[in-house]
């Protein structure tokens, strides 16, 4: 398989660093902080409440594993883990996904500014020149896959 569906987008599997029976984790094309990744159910489901119980369980156990990975790999001291569930909550991709952001002291002047950045970080009308190159994304995914194998 060379691509997966992420809501209205097709993503290359080379940016996926973990896949389970029901979920996958991928690097972000425009991370809010270095190491900002996403965890999604394999089945395209727009809203959190529409996930099956087994998908919720797998999604969150996968998120927990990914959180440990990025906190270690990116030398973070904390994590922001969140779900934007619906357009009014800032969801821009119509597919449930969990944001995992490694955090460090002082990474934002006002700590809650991370949520402002999340709200606008992936807007469809945003300048695509700010996105990372496919090569950068592939490299980060490869590093995370390698680190995961060693944990």
């Amino acid at each position: 398989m060379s691509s997966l569906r992420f809501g209205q987008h097709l993503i290359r599997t080379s940016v996926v660093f973990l896949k389970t029976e029901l979920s996958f984790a991928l690097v972000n094309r425009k991370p809010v902080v270095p190491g900002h990744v996403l965890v999604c159910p394999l089945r395209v489901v727009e809203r959190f409440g529409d996930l099956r119980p087994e998908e919720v369980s797998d999604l969150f156990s996968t998120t927990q594993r990914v959180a440990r990975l990025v906190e270690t790999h990116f030398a973070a001291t904390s994590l922001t883990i969140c779900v934007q569930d619906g357009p009014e909550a800032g969801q821009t991709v119509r597919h449930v996904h969990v944001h995992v952001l490694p955090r460090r002291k002082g990474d934002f002047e006002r700590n809650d500014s991370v949520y402002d950045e999340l709200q606008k970080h992936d807007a469809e009308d945003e300048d695509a020149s700010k996105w990372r190159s496919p090569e950068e994304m592939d490299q980060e995914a490869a590093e995370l896959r390698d680190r995961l194998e060693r944990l």
Side-chain angles (χ1 to χ4, degrees), residues 60 63-64 67-68 79-83 98-101 103 115 118:
F60 278 95
T63 298
Q64 189 174 47
R68 282 191 297 268
L79 297 162
T80 294
I81 299 171
C82 67
V83 176
V98 180
H99 293 265
V100 180
L101 295 88
R103 301 292 305 276
Y115 301 109
L118 274 171

Side-chain angles (χ1 to χ4, degrees), residues 11-57:
I11 58 159
R12 296 172 297 106
T13 55
S14 58
V15 302
V16 173
F17 61 90
L18 175 62
K19 187 173 171 212
T20 69
E21 182 182 341
L22 299 173
S23 302
F24 66 99
L26 69 149
V27 300
N28 203 321
R29 69 180 176 180
K30 186 176 172 267
V32 170
V33 295
H36 174 190
V37 299
L38 306 172
V39 184
C40 316
L42 282 169
R43 185 171 69 96
V44 178
V45 176
E46 188 170 338
R47 298 294 307 277
F48 183 79
D50 295 327
L51 290 170
R52 299 177 188 126
E54 62 274 14
E55 290 171 319
V56 173
S57 178

Side-chain angles (χ1 to χ4, degrees), residues 42-134:
L42 282 169
R43 185 171 69 96
V44 178
V45 176
E46 188 170 338
R47 298 294 307 277
F48 183 79
D50 295 327
L51 290 170
R52 299 177 188 126
E54 62 274 14
E55 290 171 319
V56 173
S57 178
D58 190 79
L59 181 67
F60 278 95
S61 62
T62 302
T63 298
Q64 189 174 47
R65 187 174 174 198
V66 166
R68 282 191 297 268
L69 170 67
V70 298
E71 186 169 17
T72 302
H73 186 71
F74 292 95
T77 55
S78 297
L79 297 162
T80 294
I81 299 171
C82 67
V83 176
Q84 295 166 298
D85 191 30
E88 290 74 30
Q91 181 183 23
T92 57
V93 176
R94 295 181 303 275
H95 187 155
V96 173
H97 55 285
V98 180
H99 293 265
V100 180
L101 295 88
R103 301 292 305 276
R104 291 178 200 82
K105 185 177 178 110
D107 55 5
F108 289 93
E109 186 174 325
R110 193 178 70 74
N111 195 44
D112 281 352
S113 293
V114 67
Y115 301 109
D116 298 331
E117 291 302 314
L118 274 171
Q119 174 117 12
K120 65 183 181 182
H121 94 285
D122 213 14
E124 291 297 324
D125 59 350
E126 193 169 359
D127 182 2
S129 70
K130 296 178 182 178
W131 297 342
R132 297 192 301 164
S133 73

